[in-house]
Amino acid sequence: LVKTAMTRCIQCTRCVRFVTEIAGVPDIGLISRGEDVEITTYLGKAVASELSANVIDLCPVGALTSKPYAFNARPWELKKTETVDVMDALGSAIRVDVRGPAVLRVLPRVNDEINEEWISDKTRYACDGLGRQRLDRPFVRVGGKLQPATWGEALDAVAARIKASSPERVGVIAGDLQDAESMKAALDLFGGAGIKNLDCRQDGAALGAGPREGWLFNSTIAGIEDADVVLLVGTNPRLEAPVLNARFRKQWLAGKTRFGVIGEAADLTFGYDHLGAGPASLTGLAKSKSDFAKAFKAASKPAIVVGQGALSRPDGAAVLKAAADVAKAFGVVREGWNGWNVLHTAAARVGGLDLGFVPGEGGKSAAEMVRKGALDVLVLLGADEIDLKDTDAFVVYLGTHGDAGAHRADVILPGAAYTEKAGLYVNTEGRVQRGERAAFPKGEAKEDWAILRALSEKVGAALPYDTQDQLRAKLFADHPTFGQIDHAPGSIPTAFDLGALGAAGDVSDAPFASPVKAFHLTNPIARASVTMAECAALASGAAKIAAE
């Protein structure tokens, strides 16, 4: 990811300090002596940090430059667009640089409330996946093979199937990169037709009921620095939100915060008390006599961070209740402080939960929708992280890449990627952020909400808006929180009833595991990226690298 030009280097060692102090992975340093001194990785290994490419931005002389972007363009050729990142749920502030139809690079913008001045390597380098394996025209499956079709033919095929099915036999699953407008249009179209099988939780996370604070990162990303004791449950922030992990390391280095972990004993780049691997350690914490439990009880601002590794299990609702009981026992929510935090991994998840994109009464969840014989028609809004091998429904895929959803689809409706549409995203702390369009959709692809608007016409239930502004006006009227652009609700702490979270039930003994197994391959854009494929091979040990 980083190209070195040592003839420019002034040996200021800013890069060494960043990688050692902020990223917490002491993998580079100065070797040799005198005029032969150079910055390099030790023993020819790659830098094992998810934040490594930030050294490019902080090198004062250009001795470290971006390898994938090298010699691709000059700065004055690029159109620069300020927008937000969707590779994780933090919503880091980024700038997208485009020449013609191609996104050539992504750079961080300073936003002290979220990402400070850093972004992860995936945010920076997955952008080459925006030009590969793209769906740029509609397809309809004829005789077992996908054939190119016109928009009219594709929409007619979908509308005919929807009209021929009863509402309880139609389901919609929203993916992890969807903007709020497309989910609102889907809710208005399908929910208005009496369809109850709606779900934005591909992983089956046990969230969506109770108060909104139940699924937000209430301390706020900047506010978590005020916490003096933090308990991490079923999460590996280094893989799920690397920029947030750097903040945790900063607190730990300053000696301000003590951390406890229930889950995998992973290298998080900061020290912590490992309290156990599974739910038994969580339920037993209130009665524990350990040092950490005493410190947690005595803390003036205790916080708990619950990850998707704890909530997306079959017993997720019971684990959520257990975590809420612990939060109650230790006074995590109190006057002037709300330390209840859920760390999401999907950029679209909080927006979907805020909209109520969850199964209605008697509706099926995402896992139930993909079972054999469950549905006649299954509509996937960019949903690629769910196993579709059992479903025998007619699958409609509205998305951007030839990934899992498109392979199984009977009709493909090509949508716009996050850099190709203006859209609202809600980050893990409930902050509504505006993404802007940097390039135009590929080929015949259209913006997702516009496709659903066209489909509504074919189905005979036209949606009451023709422009994105009209759609946003309806969104703000129906869900006022979406009108509060760039406001983090947790910045004004509100008490809420922790007892309303989760459901009573048995918890299994299985240890918590982070849902992110391969950091570089978590979504269709990243999986289409050559750079991310090389990084993933390196991280897994499948490939070896020589020092440059």
Side-chain angles (χ1 to χ4, degrees), residues 413-435:
L413 306 173
Y418 75 104
T419 52
E420 297 160 5
K421 60 186 172 188
L424 297 175
Y425 299 90
V426 189
N427 79 346
T428 192
E429 58 182 356
R431 184 191 298 268
V432 181
Q433 296 176 292
R434 197 187 252 135

Side-chain angles (χ1 to χ4, degrees), residues 135 139-142 144-146 161 173 369-380 383-398 401-413:
L135 304 171
F139 287 88
V140 176
R141 196 177 289 278
V142 181
K145 285 194 173 160
L146 285 167
R161 284 295 187 135
I173 302 175
M369 284 188 233
V370 295
R371 287 183 192 150
K372 193 171 174 63
L375 297 176
D376 293 338
V377 181
L378 176 60
V379 181
L380 302 175
D384 291 283
E385 320 303 324
I386 191 160
D387 191 353
L388 298 165
K389 68 177 186 297
D390 292 337
T391 184
D392 53 0
F394 181 84
V395 177
V396 180
Y397 179 75
L398 192 166
H401 284 72
D403 210 86
H407 279 277
R408 175 59 193 81
D410 295 293
V411 175
I412 291 174
L413 306 173

Side-chain angles (χ1 to χ4, degrees), residues 3-16 28-31 34-40 59-64:
K3 183 182 170 78
T4 58
M6 279 300 119
T7 48
R8 297 173 180 168
C9 182
I10 56 171
Q11 288 110 46
C12 67
T13 67
R14 285 176 84 166
C15 52
V16 180
I28 65 172
L30 280 167
I31 62 165
E35 65 181 20
D36 296 327
V37 161
E38 61 176 310
I39 299 276
T40 184
C59 179
V61 290
L64 304 175

Side-chain angles (χ1 to χ4, degrees), residues 520-545:
H520 302 94
L521 305 174
T522 52
N523 60 55
I525 298 171
R527 287 192 288 272
S529 160
V530 172
T531 312
M532 289 297 99
E534 290 173 2
C535 291
L538 256 171
S540 68
K544 295 282 178 277
I545 191 168

